[in-house]
Amino acid sequence: LSTINNRVIFTDYIDPFFIHIDYLIFGYQPALVWGQLTDNIIINEIFYFAYFSYYLVVPGIAFLLYFKRREIFEQYAFTISFVFYVCYFTYTFLPVIGGRYLPGAPELTTALEGGPFQHIMAFIYRTSDHWGSAFPSSHVAVSVAANLAAIHYLRRIGYWLIPLNILLIISTVWCHYHYFIDTIFGLFYGVGFYFVALKLYAHLKSCAARRQNINSQADLK
């Protein structure tokens, strides 16, 4: 989202409110502290890889479904898109920058240091312009929805993805991109709206089938 169209109700970013929530929970700011708990390149690289895996797993599941469960592919695309759009609709009314709002965090997210995945994410954040799209974390919401779909339709692969998904959720805070509260609501959005999307998809398919049946009967008259 651009910095122009995401402040429909609030005229400024409302990060101080979410920062306060995290402080009430922890007594400090996890989005700033967690990623600086260690300078171990392996540990940090694990979290940056987990965060980056989002860009591989979500389309990867779509690819597998397209070739292994073609009849489910359309449903997967619908549910993931639905969760995406609900998140983006929320961003329109709740402009939250996220961890990068905190002093020093922008430098941490764009520093070209560490391992290859940290460099990749630094490059992405150096060259992209997206502010005010942190609550809820769409990274968490969409990855959770994708993992649920994988468990449902790909079974073993879905269960294998659970540890990676847990690391991804932690990484959104560890890598200074989100507040802790963003991840909690991202989890709620991912689970809740995934099942809402399934019901909506089934309803739309049912309506389409009834309409086709009515049209077929009309053609026979």
Side-chain angles (χ1 to χ4, degrees):
L1 291 178
S2 70
T3 57
I4 297 175
N5 65 5
N6 65 350
R7 285 174 284 179
V8 175
I9 296 178
F10 297 97
T11 58
D12 201 358
Y13 296 108
I14 56 175
D15 287 71
F17 174 76
F18 293 89
I19 290 171
H20 184 62
I21 292 175
D22 271 15
Y23 187 80
L24 289 176
I25 297 172
F26 294 97
Y28 63 89
Q29 297 303 321
L32 200 57
V33 173
W34 285 7
Q36 300 187 82
L37 289 175
T38 177
D39 57 0
N40 186 296
I41 189 173
I42 296 176
I43 294 176
N44 286 328
E45 192 66 0
I46 288 172
F47 284 110
Y48 278 98
F49 166 74
Y51 189 86
F52 180 79
S53 70
Y54 168 88
Y55 302 111
L56 303 175
V57 170
V58 174
I61 293 172
F63 180 85
L64 287 175
L65 288 174
Y66 184 81
F67 288 101
K68 296 183 68 172
R69 298 286 304 274
R70 183 72 62 88
E71 73 281 5
I72 301 299
F73 172 76
E74 182 183 272
Q75 184 186 76
Y76 175 78
F78 179 88
T79 54
I80 294 301
S81 297
F82 185 83
V83 173
F84 255 126
Y85 279 114
V86 171
C87 288
Y88 274 83
F89 182 77
T90 305
Y91 301 153
T92 303
F93 299 99
L94 294 177
V96 183
I97 293 174
R100 291 176 298 155
Y101 182 90
L102 297 167
E107 291 75 19
L108 292 171
T109 59
T110 56
L112 294 173
E113 58 184 26
F117 287 101
Q118 188 169 352
H119 275 76
I120 290 171
M121 293 312 307
F123 173 78
I124 291 173
Y125 277 89
R126 277 171 173 252
T127 56
S128 62
D129 178 24
H130 55 288
W131 294 91
S133 53
F135 180 87
S137 168
S138 61
H139 238 70
V140 173
V142 174
S143 65
V144 166
N147 203 157
L148 287 172
I151 291 172
H152 193 181
Y153 301 115
L154 299 172
R155 298 295 182 184
R156 188 180 300 175
I157 293 175
Y159 289 113
W160 286 345
L161 288 174
I162 290 175
L164 180 61
N165 212 345
I166 292 172
L167 285 173
L168 184 150
I169 293 171
I170 298 172
S171 75
T172 61
V173 181
W174 186 280
C175 300
H176 318 291
Y177 304 135
H178 284 279
Y179 306 122
F180 178 79
I181 194 66
D182 299 340
T183 68
I184 298 302
F185 275 82
L187 184 60
F188 289 155
Y189 268 55
V191 174
F193 287 110
Y194 171 76
F195 288 106
V196 169
L198 285 180
K199 289 185 177 295
L200 180 59
Y201 180 82
H203 175 71
L204 292 174
K205 291 290 285 186
S206 177
C207 290
R210 285 199 301 269
R211 186 162 54 248
Q212 185 177 10
N213 186 47
I214 292 172
N215 291 339
S216 297
Q217 292 178 357
D219 291 339
L220 292 175
K221 292 180 180 180

